[in-house]
Amino acid sequence: MKKIAFFDTKPYDKESFERQNNGRYEIRYFETRLTAAALPLADGCDAACAFVNAEIDRAVVEGLVKRGIKVLAMRCAGYNNVDFKAAYEAGLTVVRVPAYSPYAVAEHAAALLLSLNRHIHKAAARTRDFNFSLSGLTGFDLHGKTAGIVGTGKIGRIFADICKGFGMRVLAYDAFPNPATGLEYVTLDRLLAESDIVSLHCPLLPETKHLINAEALAKAKHGFTLINTSRGGLVDSEALLSALRNGTVGAAGLDVYEEESEWFYEDRSDVTRQNKTLSLLVSLPNVIVTSHQAFLTHEALANIAETTLKNLDDYFSGAPLANEICYRCLGTGGAKPNCPRRANGRCH
Ligand code: NAI
């Protein structure tokens, strides 16, 4: 039986993978993240499985291959944390779960937006204290407002539909506009200038790092609400903090944070050393931070487990790998003409 070294295990991961596994694989669950120091745990295994905040650098890639592990199953969609050049050179196949529930993430973005706008987080804290005052809890109708969607892939399109359901006008920006969406595409500058709500749904790439920086914020509609359920690195947190303080940004709902890997997914309440920017952000009344939990629904967890195990089934049976990330074709939106994936369905 093939053995999987499963890193960064949380109780909900184990539950969903055990339900889908049906004794196919021996899964060795480890709580630690996949790092170079944790590699000995993978000794004797045939595959490794890691999650979104693991830093899969050259040392990790080469360490896995040295141990005879030629496949890394990422149980997430994003892959900005993987050194693909190193993986390609070492012959490590990397598979992922491209979509597990775009609804989960889009609905979480909507939850952040509604909570911020109607001050649900403050109201819930007040009523717990038997404080039934409404002062300071005034929101605004979403109906008739403009939502700007940055990145109109699977999640962005669902969020656009949710906004339309509220009777909002929707503007979109995407590096690769898709006319089939029927969305009104505009430049990023125009989207920022006209939107009451801006929601980020594009990947973190070198060209999207700090897409929302001081310069972009200066062009934005005064007092807009920023929602980020995509990747923390899309937003310059220092610039956001200043904009929240001077009112340029009226509210921010953040499921991701650029330095989250050190903090998110764990109880860090006993750590005395704090991240200054994160501490200031969480302390603002018009900010809600959630711990990269937009994906966390029963449906999404079941899909993650099913697709991850199917990716490994395909790898070990020699079948084409629908969810392999190809170093040569990264960002090109499909296999390049000369890529072996076109002929073999695999990179290696
Ligand atoms: P997708 O691949 O379906 O869509 C991404 C869209 O971004 C595409 O339309 C693409 O053309 C566009 N894009 C690419 N480069 C761009 C650029 N430079 N500027 C503007 N747009 C650009 O991805 P999907 O499934 O919709 O996911 C979006 C993001 O959500 C992921 O990249 C991931 O980072 C994040 N995510 C967050 C989760 C969470 O739990 N918070 C869970 C799953 C995904």
Side-chain angles (χ1 to χ4, degrees), residues 246-261:
N246 66 29
T248 305
V249 176
L254 309 173
D255 186 49
V256 286
Y257 174 66
E258 57 181 328
E259 288 161 25
E260 70 179 45
S261 60

Side-chain angles (χ1 to χ4, degrees), residues 2-8 17 25-28 30 33-35 38-39 41-51 54 56 60-61 63-65 67-75 92-96 308 311-312 315-316:
K2 300 281 186 202
K3 299 177 189 67
I4 306 172
F6 194 104
F7 290 91
D8 212 355
F17 272 80
Y25 295 99
E26 180 186 324
I27 307 181
R28 297 183 181 172
F30 305 114
R33 255 181 217 170
L34 176 52
T35 59
L39 281 167
L41 293 169
D43 281 344
C45 288
D46 306 281
C49 182
F51 193 48
I56 314 292
V60 171
V61 165
L64 287 171
V65 174
R67 287 172 166 75
I69 294 179
K70 297 283 194 65
V71 60
L72 171 66
M74 297 300 295
R75 52 182 196 280
L92 179 75
T93 295
V94 184
V95 287
R96 66 167 180 146
T308 303
N311 285 340
L312 290 171
Y315 176 81
F316 289 119

Side-chain angles (χ1 to χ4, degrees), residues 21 67 77 196 218 224 230 325:
N21 185 30
R67 287 172 166 75
D196 302 285
F224 81 102
S230 195
I325 308 162

Side-chain angles (χ1 to χ4, degrees), residues 100 153-155 174-176 201 203 208 229-231 255 292 295:
Y100 29 90
K154 295 174 284 296
I155 298 169
D174 197 299
F176 308 94
H201 301 288
T208 57
T229 56
S230 195
R231 284 292 179 272
D255 186 49
H292 205 140
F295 74 99

